[in-house]
Amino acid sequence: MPETRFDQSQYHAMKAVFEEVLGRESFTKVKDYGSIKAWRTESKRLLKAVSISLAATVQVYDDEWMAELQSHIQRGISLVESCSELDELFSSLAATLARVTFLQIGFLPVGHRNIDRVPLTPSQWKLDPVRSVQYVQNDEQRKTQRRLLSRRKGPELCET
């Protein structure tokens, strides 16, 4: 892996996520020449934020789903904690977040490991045999969405 440079643009995508999700202080800790310790700390904070967000936000779920999600997040935190190089850390973080993403869609398709190459067709990726996901939005949430979008883009871009 290349050495970490005193360069704000190196690993910019992840630095931007830290700032967007965790705040300016998280970005500052890793922005130029963040140590592996700083990257571990902020990566663990990100995974903990995902964990807290799931528990605080998802209202209807089966207990096995939440336990599996929390288990993957805790395993990810442990993996990140044990990393001594940034490439290991990014790999652990990406793997954890990919697992969480698939679980949020329905389930983690671990049976695919027995197939040489899984085609990228909807029939292979319909992940609702275990549980279904439904996203709903009430009127108050719709108003909040419009207000937040107008802050980001300006009012002229958010009218519906």
Side-chain angles (χ1 to χ4, degrees):
M1 165 146 210
E3 292 294 315
T4 305
R5 304 182 306 267
F6 186 77
D7 179 359
Q8 192 170 326
S9 66
Q10 187 183 31
Y11 312 124
H12 177 73
M14 198 67 223
K15 292 173 182 180
V17 168
F18 287 159
E19 183 175 30
E20 291 165 3
V21 175
L22 300 174
R24 210 170 302 128
E25 184 180 325
S26 290
F27 171 77
T28 302
K29 288 182 180 182
V30 298
K31 77 173 186 172
D32 290 323
Y33 187 76
S35 66
I36 185 69
K37 181 180 178 185
W39 280 95
R40 278 196 305 258
T41 299
E42 297 313 308
S43 296
K44 290 186 303 183
R45 282 192 78 230
L46 182 67
L47 291 174
K48 288 175 185 176
V50 170
S51 175
I52 292 166
S53 296
L54 285 164
T57 305
V58 180
Q59 297 175 16
V60 179
Y61 57 85
D62 59 273
D63 292 337
E64 293 82 12
W65 176 81
M66 185 61 80
E68 188 174 2
L69 274 168
Q70 296 299 340
S71 172
H72 282 293
I73 292 169
Q74 288 306 311
R75 182 169 182 258
I77 290 170
S78 295
L79 287 170
V80 164
E81 180 62 40
S82 69
C83 292
S84 58
E85 300 289 333
L86 274 176
D87 62 341
E88 295 174 78
L89 184 142
F90 288 144
S91 175
S92 297
L93 190 56
T96 300
L97 293 174
R99 288 183 176 103
V100 167
T101 297
F102 279 109
L103 283 169
Q104 287 184 281
I105 295 168
F107 78 103
L108 185 61
V110 293
H112 286 174
R113 71 176 62 166
N114 301 321
I115 300 170
D116 287 335
R117 184 111 173 129
V118 180
L120 296 177
T121 58
S123 63
Q124 293 294 319
W125 295 97
K126 187 166 171 32
L127 301 180
D128 65 354
V130 175
R131 64 185 55 86
S132 295
V133 178
Q134 181 180 30
Y135 294 97
V136 295
Q137 186 180 48
N138 63 35
D139 289 337
E140 190 62 33
Q141 291 167 323
R142 206 170 287 107
K143 289 176 190 173
T144 300
Q145 178 187 24
R146 283 191 207 112
R147 188 180 77 249
L148 293 173
L149 284 173
S150 70
R151 284 184 192 165
R152 272 190 247 156
K153 298 179 181 179
E156 68 282 351
L157 298 177
C158 296
E159 295 179 16
T160 54

